[in-house]
């Protein structure tokens, strides 16, 4: 049964967050690598909130399956959001909800490209609230980026295809270097 059509019990009240003088949002993900779709979400979140932290978090389902190491993902994400006022990049070392509570974040922000994303995001949003985190705000992906994912970019790059329409130039370079260092598919 879909999470969204489950018989409705009243939603639990939003947990209190630590006081914060400005509205902070956390945009978490693996960012392996960051794409122009991710950058678009950061830019739009920065227009809604005073501060946005793009948080590079651990996805247990992807353990040992990242193409880029965390330092490279951090460097590329910092480079990509440089110039977006109010945005910065950090590593989320553990639970997203704990990180948000410690920082007094007002919201978690995620991008939504299609229904499959919603199916994945809805249970995470509910769990993050149950874990003491803030509400999740879902921003609909811009049509120009609605088909773009890190997986798609990695797939194209692994066959030597041109990924420059989908990622910042530094990411395209880093992918080419990383893939040159490993045997092809
Ligand atoms: O880009 P991804 O891999 O789809 O992002 C998933 C991510 C990293 C946001 C999610 O796995 C996450 O929040 N990880 C941090 C650990 C955590 O809080 N897990 C419980 C989430 S309900």
């Amino acid at each position: 049964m879909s999470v969204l059509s489950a018989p409705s019990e009243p939603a639990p009240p939003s947990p209190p967050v630590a006081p914060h003088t400005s509205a902070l949002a956390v945009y978490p993900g693996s960012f392996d690598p960051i794409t122009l779709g991710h950058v678009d979400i950061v830019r739009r979140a920065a227009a809604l909130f005073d501060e946005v932290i793009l948080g590079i978090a651990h996805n247990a389902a992807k353990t040992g399956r990242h193409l880029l190491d965390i330092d490279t993902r951090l460097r590329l994400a910092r480079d990509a959001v440089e110039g977006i006022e109010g945005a910065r990049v950090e590593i989320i070392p553990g639970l997203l909800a704990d990180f948000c509570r410690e920082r007094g974040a007002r919201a978690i922000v995620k991008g939504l490209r299609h229904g499959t994303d919603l199916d994945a995001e809805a249970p995470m949003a509910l769990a993050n609230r149950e874990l003491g985190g803030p509400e999740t705000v879902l921003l609909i992906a811009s049509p120009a980026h609605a088909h773009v994912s890190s997986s798609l970019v990695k797939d194209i790059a692994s066959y030597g295809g041109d990924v420059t329409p989908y990622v910042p130039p530094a990411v395209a370079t880093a992918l080419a270097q990383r893939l040159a260092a490993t045997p092809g598919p």
Side-chain angles (χ1 to χ4, degrees):
M1 183 165 38
S2 154
V3 172
L4 295 178
S5 63
S8 56
E9 284 183 15
S14 299
V17 295
H20 199 274
T21 49
S22 59
L24 167 71
V26 176
Y27 174 36
S30 299
F31 302 106
D32 181 37
I34 190 164
T35 68
L36 293 180
H38 294 134
V39 176
D40 183 55
I41 295 294
V42 173
R43 193 171 286 117
R44 289 163 58 198
L48 293 172
F49 296 90
D50 299 308
E51 297 171 76
V52 177
I53 297 176
L54 182 155
I56 301 183
H58 183 66
N59 181 342
K62 296 180 180 171
T63 299
R65 292 173 44 212
H66 292 115
L67 179 64
L68 301 175
D69 62 51
I70 193 153
D71 290 337
T72 305
R73 285 181 275 149
L74 185 71
R75 172 177 63 80
L76 294 172
R78 285 199 167 134
D79 186 65
V81 307
E82 200 185 352
I84 302 179
E85 199 178 343
R88 64 183 189 276
V89 179
E90 293 187 25
I91 288 172
I92 298 176
L95 274 180
L96 170 62
D98 291 345
F99 182 87
C100 289
R101 208 172 41 250
E102 284 159 14
R103 301 310 177 91
R106 185 84 49 90
I108 294 165
V109 165
K110 297 278 191 88
L112 210 60
R113 291 163 301 181
H114 38 58
T116 309
D117 276 352
L118 179 59
D119 286 346
E121 294 302 341
M124 283 198 274
L126 294 174
N128 280 320
R129 278 183 61 189
E130 285 164 1
L131 290 165
E135 295 284 3
T136 296
V137 173
L138 299 171
L139 298 180
I140 306 298
S142 301
H145 306 298
H147 61 301
V148 179
S149 68
S150 299
S151 304
L152 181 90
V153 166
K154 283 182 282 192
D155 194 34
I156 294 170
S158 72
Y159 292 99
D162 178 18
V163 294
T164 54
Y166 312 121
V167 294
V171 172
T173 303
L175 284 176
Q177 287 171 348
R178 174 70 183 83
L179 290 163
T182 51

